[in-house]
Amino acid sequence: MKKIDLVFRTVGERTSDAALELAVNNIQPQEVHIIENVKPFSLAVKQMLAINYNCDFVVFADADCLICEDMTPFLQYNSFPYVDCYVLDKFRGYIHCGVHITRMDVVQLMQKVEIPKGDRKYVLRPESRTRELALSKLNQSKVFQHFKIFHDFFQYYLDIFVKYAIRELRSRQDYWQKKLNVNQDDWIKQSEDSKDKDFLVANYGVNYSRELIQEKATLEEIEKFIAYLPQIAMSELEKLNIAEKEALTLEQVWELSAKINPQKWQRSKRMKVFGIGLSRTGTKSLTGALNILGINVVHYPQDETTLQELIEGNFEFSLLNNFDGITDITVASYYAQLDKIYPDSKFILTVREKESWLKSMEAHWSKKVVFDERPEKQKKMELRRFLRSAVYGTYQFNTERLSYVYDLHCQNVLEYFRDRPESLLVLNICQGEGWEKLCSFFDLPVRDEPFPHNNNKKQLES
């Protein structure tokens, strides 16, 4: 039986009491450590790393996360050094934040790590940066797991303002700035449609930070701004004549949570990311890398809705209302349609030396049947047969046919994007290409952690 500790961080969020009770019920920790009203967050991080833990894993959870699913089965079989949990965020769809499952050896390294002087990443993301440095010493990367967790629903206006003022500071690389602009367009529409002031406040917080803190601001200026943000938020909300919300009870949280509909707000059809390489070309590794970058994509979704949309030729894919993209053969053949439906998107063609690919495909398909009479397997088999027919034109492995399909797919993709190099990246993960090409494609700094090379079902579950 693994020993699990819970570290619960709160600065008086509207959902604090309910979030703590839900976390305790669904994590079943042996010990609970509460970090309460410690600001700025960098001080809270130092306090949580000063704790003398006696456990196998620590779950760090924030008070803006409502954990509505029993996590204990996963916690007992998990052995990954660090698992970032996907949550449904009110403002940005599915993202990974707020609940972090961390193995004790990683926590111990975090306690010892020395932060470089003047580290801008640490100022903006103290916990994330400390963990990143610890994982790099272990030569490990984060992995991801989905749980039913709601993030940033029902929060105080003041906390929303503060959070999105900081979000703007974290989004000053070109790709993230454009993505944030897309989010803001969504929020304006959502506030008009629903009269929900949360979206107005988030938008205002972003614009306030953007106007006040210049690109050339020093770290000292940024730290001072973050420290004073609660007072700034209070003053600005008064100017906007927005009265603060009342406190919530656990019963009210349960009642409101039951009404959450992920499809309620239709998000923008811009700036998606699609991995359009064929099976066995590193699509799972690509998915892992994109998620590490914060681009939240789903690998080979197998839900019934996606199957029905494929059958109907509906390539909008409902999943894309809350995710940044999809990878693998679910979308590989439909890049032209996706390019039209989702303008300004980026496409990544993963490739591999063909003879090696054919051998891998033969071994892979020999283990993957296309017919299984068990009722619970029917939809999965239907999806597998559909995609093998649509992409490869055969249910069974055939060297000549698959060789032809591989060549034709690569040729067609390259021809389609011939005059738009900014829209297509060709990536050979199997030959060692990774962060340098991928990060450059998104105009992001090159990561200094290992590029994920994985084919593990426990990792990146959809």
Side-chain angles (χ1 to χ4, degrees), residues 89 116 166 204 210 315 386 448:
D89 179 85
I166 296 174
Y204 191 83
R210 187 175 288 155
F315 303 122
F386 179 93
D448 56 6

Side-chain angles (χ1 to χ4, degrees), residues 97-276:
C97 74
V99 180
H100 315 283
I101 304 167
T102 313
R103 202 169 65 195
M104 200 57 226
D105 57 336
V106 179
V107 176
Q108 289 167 343
L109 275 174
M110 290 174 69
Q111 292 172 327
K112 298 174 183 176
V113 75
E114 293 185 11
I115 305 298
K117 187 175 181 181
D119 192 315
R120 190 180 185 91
K121 290 182 179 179
Y122 181 80
V123 171
L124 295 173
R125 298 174 182 266
E127 181 187 13
S128 176
R129 179 58 171 159
T130 305
R131 189 187 300 108
E132 178 184 320
L133 291 170
L135 285 170
S136 69
K137 289 181 180 295
L138 290 172
N139 201 33
Q140 296 283 346
S141 296
K142 65 172 73 174
V143 298
F144 305 92
Q145 179 70 23
H146 285 266
F147 294 101
K148 185 178 181 182
I149 302 174
F150 300 124
H151 181 255
D152 270 355
F153 285 83
F154 326 128
Q155 297 304 318
Y156 288 121
Y157 293 128
L158 184 147
D159 291 332
I160 294 170
F161 182 101
V162 169
K163 186 166 294 188
Y164 279 91
I166 296 174
R167 171 61 48 193
E168 195 282 328
L169 296 175
R170 293 174 173 176
S171 304
R172 292 198 165 181
Q173 287 139 348
D174 185 59
Y175 176 80
W176 293 122
Q177 190 68 263
K178 291 176 181 175
K179 191 72 177 175
L180 186 58
N181 291 340
V182 170
N183 291 148
Q184 287 186 273
D185 291 343
D186 288 344
W187 300 340
I188 292 170
K189 184 177 187 305
Q190 288 158 10
S191 66
E192 291 171 350
D193 292 345
S194 65
K195 309 302 179 186
D196 188 335
K197 292 180 183 176
D198 285 5
F199 297 109
L200 283 176
V201 172
N203 191 57
Y204 191 83
V206 168
N207 289 337
Y208 184 90
S209 185
R210 187 175 288 155
E211 292 170 10
L212 188 69
I213 304 299
Q214 301 300 311
E215 289 285 345
K216 297 180 180 179
T218 65
L219 283 179
E220 290 75 17
E221 289 171 332
I222 293 172
E223 285 179 313
K224 184 177 180 181
F225 174 69
I226 291 173
Y228 280 97
L229 261 176
Q231 295 94 315
I232 293 170
M234 193 177 299
S235 173
E236 293 303 312
L237 289 171
E238 286 180 6
K239 292 177 186 176
L240 293 170
N241 199 28
I242 295 179
E244 191 52 275
K245 302 171 186 175
E246 295 180 358
L248 278 177
T249 65
L250 178 61
E251 291 73 21
Q252 288 173 314
V253 169
W254 272 117
E255 182 182 347
L256 292 168
S257 297
K259 298 177 182 178
I260 292 174
N261 176 8
Q263 303 300 324
K264 180 178 179 181
W265 296 292
Q266 292 300 312
R267 292 179 169 86
S268 174
K269 286 183 167 38
R270 290 165 50 204
M271 287 191 71
K272 299 297 183 181
V273 177
F274 298 102
I276 56 173

